[in-house]
Amino acid sequence: MKNGSIISIKNVTKRFPVGEGEFTALKNINLEFQSGEFAGLVGPSGSGKTTLLNIIGSLDSPTEGEALVLGKSISKLSHKESALLRNKHIGFIFQVYNLLPVYTVYENVEFALLLQNIPKVQRQKMVMEALDWVGLASMADKKPDKLSGGEGQRVAIARAIVKKPVIVIADEPSANLDAENTYAILKTMRELNKNIGTTFLFSTHDEKVMGHLDRIIHLRDGAVEEDEIINVKTLTK
Amino acid sequence: MKLAFQLAYKNLVGAGLRTWLNVGVLAFSFIIIIFYNGLIDGWNEQAKHDSIAWEYGNGQLLHADYDPFDPFTILDGHGVLENELSKNLAPILLRQASIYPEGRMFSVALKGIDVNQTTLKLPTASLKNSNAKIPAMMGINMADAANLKKGDEVLLRWRDQGGTFDAAKITVVDIFETNVPTVDMGQVWIPIRKMWKMTGLENHTTFYVANENFQPSNISGWKYQSQETLLSDLNEIIAMKKISGSIMYLLLLAIALLAIFDTQVLSVFRRQKEIGTYISLGMTRAQVVGLFTVEGSMYSIFAMILGSIVGIPLFAYLAKIGIGMPAASRDMGVPLAERIFPVFGIQLIVGTILLVVIASTIVSFLPARKIAKMNPVLALKGKLQ
């Protein structure tokens, strides 16, 4: 792992059994991500974006090669160790938000902190701070079914960043959002990236999202086609 | 664990009607199990109490040749016990006899009893206070069967010491009510002193009923049966009744547990995205299995609370007023009161709670185990695994 690198993907191949045969989702991928990056994996469906993010998020492991996240080899982690890694250092944002329906906005955001046994007073402070970041402090008592799509995704962002993780993995975060909401959540994520230094990794084929990324990695048929550094300094609507 | 309870509570309350249907069925099972066992325990207590009060006393001293289960031993199964040894014992002499109410022959066990005895609840004072030539008393069921009432005279035929038949009219001076059929049906009670004279068996006794001051010892020609021994048959009948009853409530419990099992299986399928979310947020698979298992157990805790709200006033009311038993039930030959007062002991309640909580935890754990083998990526996509 290079100096400053928090994610190192070395010769990673991922195959899935399909019927009698196998499907290769990732072919010999090599990538490095530095702390504080705002990067995206771009490509058509089936190009391996989500598979790679799942491996980085320790939800899956490579068939071949090595994925090092924060110095830990994903293949070698036990269930408990990978759960601890996700709990402490990785936040997830999903395409369909995956909010827990019976909990309020506050409770959804609080969930990750409950797992870390953080005292109630501190938890309360952290949750309200996260909700402030995404502009939903006034909706803390609402249930997810009372929120709009944009609000739901902002709650998911708050849940992902409340524990101040090193990495946030966002899998097609704008797929269910209109242009205005997409802009709003990207702006929020960009600010968080700058303010708390969290690394954001996206998977997307939304051009609106691509326009805001510092780095775009183009994937096709499970291989890296192009690794493009853009370095966007400011966000514009 | 505390977190699992907090989350399980929220999940169950959030699930709404599905939760309350399961809780309702389980609470019903709780109430039925406790009610049925309470009824049996109440009957048990009442039957034991009445059998001791009316028939067994603190034990019985039987003549060595007398076997209560062999009617052929009645003729010779009697003897004389020294006065010194018969302290604290109420003598009873038993002979076979017949009565002829309205010209019908009615075989009876004729029992002579000491009119001054206080060991048994039999109202022997009625025999003592009567001026009739041969005063007799019998239980209400016997009187009904023979169509006799207080003050009636009826012809009694018996065999004397030498086996010769003799007959005389007896007067029914008392008809008593008892829950113990073995001192009622087919029994006629007369003073033992009269019976000694009628049979020529002066001072003879078939068996004695001991009071609480009696100290059992080996007496030649006699055998002692303790209260526990005498109650063993009754205990066996009640245990059998409890087992047969338990089939009914275990079926009911099985239905309730099946509802929980069904809900859990459905939950594991329907809530795959949620399971995937828990795992992505940093819960271990074991924690998620624990959460789902606690959810299942919590049904029983909610059911316990609901069961208590409904059950406590209901049980308190039933324990106070008792439960009326149909007359036909008294023909079973087991002491059975007109009203049984259920006994809802701590042991019964705690035992039932443990049974239901443990059973619901097990049926919740079984489908939840599947989560441990789940692929979180597929779970997040909500794909069946």
Side-chain angles (χ1 to χ4, degrees), chain B residues 4-5 28-29 32 46 54 68 71 91-92 102 104 114 151 170 184 196 212 216-217 241 250 289 299 347 350 362 365:
Chain B
F5 273 96
F28 183 65
S29 300
I32 293 293
Q46 168 260 317
W54 287 87
I92 291 173
E102 299 166 344
R104 292 180 293 133
D114 179 6
I170 58 170
D184 181 347
W196 283 337
E212 62 275 14
S217 59
K241 187 81 185 154
L250 283 176
V289 171
Y299 283 120
Q347 202 183 349
V350 173
I362 291 169
F365 173 69

Side-chain angles (χ1 to χ4, degrees), chain B residues 304-363:
Chain B
M304 193 175 73
I305 295 165
L306 181 64
S308 302
I309 292 167
V310 178
I312 289 172
L314 178 71
F315 292 154
Y317 177 70
L318 289 176
K320 194 179 170 191
I321 67 151
I323 297 160
M325 300 306 289
S329 307
R330 285 187 280 276
D331 296 338
M332 288 192 298
V334 181
L336 187 62
E338 279 178 23
R339 294 196 83 75
I340 288 183
F341 293 87
V343 177
F344 303 109
I346 290 291
Q347 202 183 349
L348 167 66
I349 292 165
V350 173
T352 310
I353 289 170
L354 284 177
L355 170 75
V356 177
V357 171
I358 291 170
S360 58
T361 304
I362 291 169
V363 298

Side-chain angles (χ1 to χ4, degrees), chain B residues 137-158:
Chain B
M137 62 176 186
M138 59 187 66
I140 193 163
N141 291 310
M142 172 65 191
D144 280 349
N147 201 17
L148 290 169
K149 54 188 185 298
K150 213 167 161 180
D152 283 355
E153 285 191 334
V154 65
L155 183 67
L156 174 80
R157 191 184 70 154
W158 71 94

Side-chain angles (χ1 to χ4, degrees), chain A residues 54 59-60 79-80 83-84 86-87 90 92 94 96 98 100-103 107 110-112 114-115 159 163, chain B residues 3 6-7 10-11 14-15 273-274 276-285 287 372 375-377 380-381:
Chain A
N54 286 336
L59 291 171
D60 208 346
H79 285 321
K80 206 172 174 179
L84 193 68
R86 288 191 295 272
N87 183 19
I90 302 174
F92 285 89
F94 302 100
V96 286
N98 284 33
L100 300 167
V102 297
Y103 300 166
E107 288 164 345
E110 187 190 27
F111 193 93
L114 284 171
L115 294 176
R159 183 178 65 181
K163 57 191 177 188
Chain B
L3 177 64
Q6 283 175 344
L7 299 178
K10 280 179 186 168
N11 286 343
K273 273 193 180 178
E274 188 183 326
T277 308
Y278 287 137
I279 294 173
S280 69
L281 288 172
M283 276 183 108
T284 62
R285 286 172 171 81
Q287 278 178 309
N375 178 338
V377 174
L380 276 167
K381 289 177 184 167

Side-chain angles (χ1 to χ4, degrees), chain A residues 2 49 61 108-109 178:
Chain A
K2 286 178 189 168
K49 306 182 295 286
S61 57
N108 263 285
V109 178
D178 56 23

Side-chain angles (χ1 to χ4, degrees), chain A residues 167-202:
Chain A
I167 305 160
V168 168
I169 289 171
D171 188 6
E172 306 271 11
S174 63
N176 288 341
L177 302 178
D178 56 23
E180 196 174 342
N181 275 312
T182 301
Y183 171 76
I185 63 148
L186 280 168
K187 186 169 178 274
T188 307
M189 287 193 273
R190 188 55 147 163
E191 279 167 8
L192 291 166
N193 168 250
K194 281 183 178 168
N195 295 340
I196 58 176
T198 300
T199 303
F200 278 80
L201 294 182
F202 296 86

